[in-house]
Amino acid sequence: MLPVLAVLTAIELGSGLVLNTFEATLLRYPTLLVLVPVTIGMAGNLGSILAARLSTAFHLGLLSFAPTDDRLAGNAVATVALAVTVFPLVGAGAWLLQALVGGARLSLPTVVAVALGSGVALAALAVVVTVATTYAAYRFELDPDDVVVPVVTNVCDVLGVLVLFGAVRALVG
């Protein structure tokens, strides 16, 4: 696990560097600053939930990596559906918190749209990363309980920053 952890540490450093490049945008729109840790955390949580479900199905012998596997597809759809329900609430909560603390510069619909757009994109990416990592663990005869969750949470941290700021660029400008 040491080589995997070393690579994941480098990936996390990359996430911090990317976050630093958006400092001016975060300072201009403080509501987005509230969204950053929540979005990153939720992306990792979605990936972790899916990883745990796939790992359990794998250990029980119920998971095949065939495109027609209903269990795999059902878990992927459930992950995206969870994002669709949670991320608008996260956006509304971030806007409300900023409105209470110091005035929100972005409108509520804009913040909710940024949160929802980034959440759905992150959920889709979390599904891809989790399935690929679980499959790699299977192919290399590794225990997915030991490998998949750390990889998914770290990769989703980096993707969380990138996707959030992609949504900001697309929806805020």
Side-chain angles (χ1 to χ4, degrees):
M1 284 300 297
L2 185 61
V4 172
L5 293 175
V7 169
L8 294 176
T9 301
I11 289 172
E12 285 293 328
L13 287 172
S15 176
L17 293 173
V18 169
L19 187 58
N20 189 46
T21 63
F22 293 104
E23 183 178 7
T25 304
L26 292 173
L27 294 175
R28 189 172 351 148
Y29 303 113
T31 308
L32 300 176
L33 189 58
V34 175
L35 273 180
V36 170
V38 179
T39 301
I40 292 170
M42 287 301 300
N45 290 343
L46 288 173
S48 296
I49 291 167
L50 180 60
R53 294 179 62 83
L54 294 182
S55 179
T56 300
F58 172 75
H59 285 305
L60 293 173
L62 302 173
L63 181 67
S64 72
F65 292 98
T68 58
D69 186 353
D70 290 338
R71 188 172 309 276
L72 187 61
N75 282 311
V77 168
T79 300
V80 174
L82 186 59
V84 168
T85 59
V86 170
F87 275 95
L89 297 173
V90 166
W95 182 88
L96 180 63
L97 180 65
Q98 187 59 38
L100 291 173
V101 171
R105 292 187 180 166
L106 295 173
S107 68
L108 175 62
T110 301
V111 176
V112 169
V114 166
L116 178 62
S118 60
V120 169
L122 283 170
L125 289 169
V127 167
V128 170
V129 169
T130 304
V131 170
T133 307
T134 304
Y135 182 73
Y138 161 75
R139 293 290 295 165
F140 292 113
E141 297 180 0
L142 301 170
D143 186 356
D145 292 330
D146 295 336
V147 176
V148 178
V149 171
V151 169
V152 168
T153 55
N154 282 280
V155 170
C156 285
D157 284 354
V158 176
L159 292 175
V161 171
L162 295 173
V163 169
L164 177 63
F165 287 107
V168 169
R169 297 249 180 196
L171 298 170
V172 175

Short mmCIF file of all heavy atoms in Angstrom, two decimals, residues 2-33:
data_model
loop_
_atom_site.label_atom_id
_atom_site.label_comp_id
_atom_site.label_asym_id
_atom_site.label_seq_id
_atom_site.Cartn_x
_atom_site.Cartn_y
_atom_site.Cartn_z
N LEU A 2 2.11 1.19 0.40
CA LEU A 2 2.94 2.39 0.48
C LEU A 2 3.06 3.10 -0.87
O LEU A 2 2.91 4.33 -0.92
CB LEU A 2 4.31 2.06 1.06
CG LEU A 2 5.22 3.28 1.30
CD1 LEU A 2 4.58 4.24 2.28
CD2 LEU A 2 6.57 2.82 1.79
N PRO A 3 3.30 2.40 -1.98
CA PRO A 3 3.37 3.11 -3.26
C PRO A 3 2.04 3.78 -3.62
O PRO A 3 2.04 4.90 -4.13
CB PRO A 3 3.72 2.02 -4.28
CG PRO A 3 4.32 0.92 -3.48
CD PRO A 3 3.68 0.98 -2.13
N VAL A 4 0.94 3.11 -3.34
CA VAL A 4 -0.37 3.70 -3.63
C VAL A 4 -0.57 4.96 -2.79
O VAL A 4 -1.03 5.99 -3.29
CB VAL A 4 -1.50 2.67 -3.36
CG1 VAL A 4 -2.86 3.32 -3.46
CG2 VAL A 4 -1.39 1.51 -4.33
N LEU A 5 -0.23 4.90 -1.51
CA LEU A 5 -0.39 6.06 -0.64
C LEU A 5 0.52 7.21 -1.06
O LEU A 5 0.14 8.38 -0.97
CB LEU A 5 -0.13 5.67 0.81
CG LEU A 5 -1.17 4.72 1.42
CD1 LEU A 5 -0.73 4.30 2.82
CD2 LEU A 5 -2.53 5.35 1.45
N ALA A 6 1.72 6.91 -1.54
CA ALA A 6 2.62 7.95 -2.01
C ALA A 6 2.05 8.66 -3.24
O ALA A 6 2.09 9.90 -3.34
CB ALA A 6 3.99 7.36 -2.33
N VAL A 7 1.50 7.89 -4.16
CA VAL A 7 0.88 8.49 -5.35
C VAL A 7 -0.33 9.32 -4.95
O VAL A 7 -0.54 10.43 -5.47
CB VAL A 7 0.50 7.39 -6.37
CG1 VAL A 7 -0.37 7.94 -7.48
CG2 VAL A 7 1.75 6.75 -6.95
N LEU A 8 -1.13 8.80 -4.04
CA LEU A 8 -2.32 9.55 -3.60
C LEU A 8 -1.94 10.85 -2.90
O LEU A 8 -2.64 11.86 -3.03
CB LEU A 8 -3.17 8.67 -2.69
CG LEU A 8 -3.81 7.46 -3.36
CD1 LEU A 8 -4.55 6.60 -2.35
CD2 LEU A 8 -4.72 7.88 -4.49
N THR A 9 -0.84 10.85 -2.17
CA THR A 9 -0.37 12.08 -1.53
C THR A 9 0.01 13.12 -2.57
O THR A 9 -0.32 14.31 -2.45
CB THR A 9 0.83 11.78 -0.61
OG1 THR A 9 0.42 10.83 0.37
CG2 THR A 9 1.34 13.03 0.06
N ALA A 10 0.68 12.68 -3.63
CA ALA A 10 1.03 13.60 -4.71
C ALA A 10 -0.22 14.15 -5.39
O ALA A 10 -0.27 15.34 -5.75
CB ALA A 10 1.93 12.89 -5.73
N ILE A 11 -1.22 13.31 -5.55
CA ILE A 11 -2.47 13.75 -6.16
C ILE A 11 -3.14 14.81 -5.28
O ILE A 11 -3.65 15.82 -5.78
CB ILE A 11 -3.41 12.55 -6.41
CG1 ILE A 11 -2.85 11.69 -7.54
CG2 ILE A 11 -4.82 13.00 -6.73
CD1 ILE A 11 -3.57 10.38 -7.75
N GLU A 12 -3.15 14.61 -3.98
CA GLU A 12 -3.74 15.58 -3.06
C GLU A 12 -3.00 16.91 -3.11
O GLU A 12 -3.61 17.97 -3.02
CB GLU A 12 -3.74 15.04 -1.62
CG GLU A 12 -4.78 14.01 -1.36
CD GLU A 12 -6.20 14.54 -1.43
OE1 GLU A 12 -6.44 15.72 -1.10
OE2 GLU A 12 -7.08 13.77 -1.83
N LEU A 13 -1.67 16.87 -3.24
CA LEU A 13 -0.90 18.11 -3.39
C LEU A 13 -1.33 18.85 -4.66
O LEU A 13 -1.44 20.07 -4.67
CB LEU A 13 0.59 17.81 -3.42
CG LEU A 13 1.21 17.42 -2.09
CD1 LEU A 13 2.66 16.96 -2.29
CD2 LEU A 13 1.15 18.57 -1.12
N GLY A 14 -1.58 18.09 -5.71
CA GLY A 14 -2.07 18.69 -6.95
C GLY A 14 -3.40 19.38 -6.76
O GLY A 14 -3.66 20.45 -7.31
N SER A 15 -4.26 18.78 -5.94
CA SER A 15 -5.55 19.39 -5.65
C SER A 15 -5.38 20.74 -4.96
O SER A 15 -6.07 21.70 -5.27
CB SER A 15 -6.37 18.44 -4.77
OG SER A 15 -7.58 19.03 -4.39
N GLY A 16 -4.45 20.80 -4.03
CA GLY A 16 -4.19 22.07 -3.34
C GLY A 16 -3.65 23.12 -4.29
O GLY A 16 -4.02 24.30 -4.19
N LEU A 17 -2.80 22.72 -5.22
CA LEU A 17 -2.27 23.67 -6.19
C LEU A 17 -3.36 24.20 -7.11
O LEU A 17 -3.40 25.39 -7.43
CB LEU A 17 -1.15 23.02 -6.99
CG LEU A 17 0.13 22.68 -6.21
CD1 LEU A 17 1.09 21.88 -7.07
CD2 LEU A 17 0.79 23.95 -5.69
N VAL A 18 -4.25 23.32 -7.53
CA VAL A 18 -5.37 23.75 -8.37
C VAL A 18 -6.27 24.71 -7.60
O VAL A 18 -6.69 25.75 -8.11
CB VAL A 18 -6.18 22.53 -8.87
CG1 VAL A 18 -7.49 22.95 -9.50
CG2 VAL A 18 -5.35 21.73 -9.85
N LEU A 19 -6.53 24.38 -6.36
CA LEU A 19 -7.37 25.24 -5.52
C LEU A 19 -6.74 26.62 -5.37
O LEU A 19 -7.43 27.64 -5.39
CB LEU A 19 -7.57 24.59 -4.15
CG LEU A 19 -8.54 25.24 -3.19
CD1 LEU A 19 -9.92 25.34 -3.80
CD2 LEU A 19 -8.60 24.45 -1.89
N ASN A 20 -5.43 26.68 -5.26
CA ASN A 20 -4.73 27.95 -5.12
C ASN A 20 -4.90 28.84 -6.35
O ASN A 20 -4.93 30.06 -6.23
CB ASN A 20 -3.25 27.70 -4.84
CG ASN A 20 -2.53 28.97 -4.46
OD1 ASN A 20 -3.01 29.75 -3.66
ND2 ASN A 20 -1.35 29.16 -5.04
N THR A 21 -5.02 28.25 -7.53
CA THR A 21 -5.18 29.04 -8.75
C THR A 21 -6.52 29.74 -8.82
O THR A 21 -6.69 30.68 -9.60
CB THR A 21 -5.00 28.18 -10.02
OG1 THR A 21 -6.03 27.19 -10.07
CG2 THR A 21 -3.64 27.52 -10.05
N PHE A 22 -7.48 29.32 -8.02
CA PHE A 22 -8.81 29.92 -8.02
C PHE A 22 -9.05 30.82 -6.81
O PHE A 22 -10.18 31.14 -6.49
CB PHE A 22 -9.88 28.82 -8.06
CG PHE A 22 -9.88 28.05 -9.35
CD1 PHE A 22 -9.34 26.80 -9.41
CD2 PHE A 22 -10.40 28.62 -10.49
CE1 PHE A 22 -9.33 26.09 -10.60
CE2 PHE A 22 -10.40 27.93 -11.68
CZ PHE A 22 -9.85 26.66 -11.75
N GLU A 23 -7.97 31.25 -6.18
CA GLU A 23 -8.10 32.06 -4.97
C GLU A 23 -8.86 33.36 -5.23
O GLU A 23 -9.72 33.76 -4.43
CB GLU A 23 -6.71 32.37 -4.41
CG GLU A 23 -6.75 33.15 -3.12
CD GLU A 23 -5.37 33.40 -2.57
OE1 GLU A 23 -4.36 33.08 -3.24
OE2 GLU A 23 -5.30 33.92 -1.45
N ALA A 24 -8.59 34.03 -6.33
CA ALA A 24 -9.25 35.30 -6.62
C ALA A 24 -10.76 35.10 -6.78
O ALA A 24 -11.56 35.91 -6.28
CB ALA A 24 -8.67 35.92 -7.88
N THR A 25 -11.16 34.04 -7.44
CA THR A 25 -12.58 33.77 -7.61
C THR A 25 -13.24 33.47 -6.28
O THR A 25 -14.36 33.94 -6.02
CB THR A 25 -12.78 32.57 -8.58
OG1 THR A 25 -12.13 32.86 -9.81
CG2 THR A 25 -14.25 32.30 -8.84
N LEU A 26 -12.57 32.72 -5.44
CA LEU A 26 -13.12 32.39 -4.12
C LEU A 26 -13.28 33.64 -3.26
O LEU A 26 -14.26 33.77 -2.52
CB LEU A 26 -12.24 31.37 -3.41
CG LEU A 26 -12.21 29.98 -4.02
CD1 LEU A 26 -11.16 29.12 -3.33
CD2 LEU A 26 -13.57 29.33 -3.94
N LEU A 27 -12.33 34.54 -3.33
CA LEU A 27 -12.42 35.76 -2.54
C LEU A 27 -13.49 36.71 -3.08
O LEU A 27 -14.11 37.44 -2.31
CB LEU A 27 -11.06 36.45 -2.49
CG LEU A 27 -9.97 35.68 -1.74
CD1 LEU A 27 -8.64 36.39 -1.84
CD2 LEU A 27 -10.36 35.43 -0.30
N ARG A 28 -13.71 36.69 -4.37
CA ARG A 28 -14.75 37.53 -4.97
C ARG A 28 -16.14 37.01 -4.63
O ARG A 28 -17.06 37.78 -4.41
CB ARG A 28 -14.57 37.58 -6.49
CG ARG A 28 -15.46 38.59 -7.16
CD ARG A 28 -15.13 38.76 -8.63
NE ARG A 28 -13.91 38.04 -8.95
CZ ARG A 28 -13.65 37.48 -10.12
NH1 ARG A 28 -14.50 37.55 -11.08
NH2 ARG A 28 -12.52 36.84 -10.34
N TYR A 29 -16.31 35.68 -4.60
CA TYR A 29 -17.60 35.06 -4.30
C TYR A 29 -17.45 34.14 -3.10
O TYR A 29 -17.20 32.94 -3.25
CB TYR A 29 -18.11 34.26 -5.51
CG TYR A 29 -18.24 35.07 -6.76
CD1 TYR A 29 -17.42 34.83 -7.86
CD2 TYR A 29 -19.20 36.08 -6.86
CE1 TYR A 29 -17.54 35.57 -9.02
CE2 TYR A 29 -19.33 36.81 -8.02
CZ TYR A 29 -18.50 36.56 -9.09
OH TYR A 29 -18.63 37.30 -10.24
N PRO A 30 -17.59 34.66 -1.90
CA PRO A 30 -17.36 33.84 -0.69
C PRO A 30 -18.28 32.63 -0.57
O PRO A 30 -17.92 31.66 0.09
CB PRO A 30 -17.60 34.82 0.45
CG PRO A 30 -17.54 36.18 -0.14
CD PRO A 30 -17.89 36.05 -1.57
N THR A 31 -19.43 32.67 -1.20
CA THR A 31 -20.32 31.51 -1.15
C THR A 31 -19.64 30.28 -1.74
O THR A 31 -19.83 29.16 -1.27
CB THR A 31 -21.64 31.80 -1.89
OG1 THR A 31 -22.19 33.01 -1.39
CG2 THR A 31 -22.64 30.68 -1.70
N LEU A 32 -18.84 30.49 -2.77
CA LEU A 32 -18.11 29.39 -3.39
C LEU A 32 -17.07 28.82 -2.44
O LEU A 32 -16.80 27.63 -2.44
CB LEU A 32 -17.46 29.84 -4.69
CG LEU A 32 -18.41 30.35 -5.77
CD1 LEU A 32 -17.62 30.85 -6.96
CD2 LEU A 32 -19.40 29.29 -6.17
N LEU A 33 -16.52 29.69 -1.61
CA LEU A 33 -15.55 29.24 -0.62
C LEU A 33 -16.21 28.29 0.38
O LEU A 33 -15.62 27.32 0.82
CB LEU A 33 -14.95 30.45 0.11
CG LEU A 33 -13.78 30.20 1.03
CD1 LEU A 33 -12.63 29.55 0.27
CD2 LEU A 33 -13.33 31.50 1.67
#
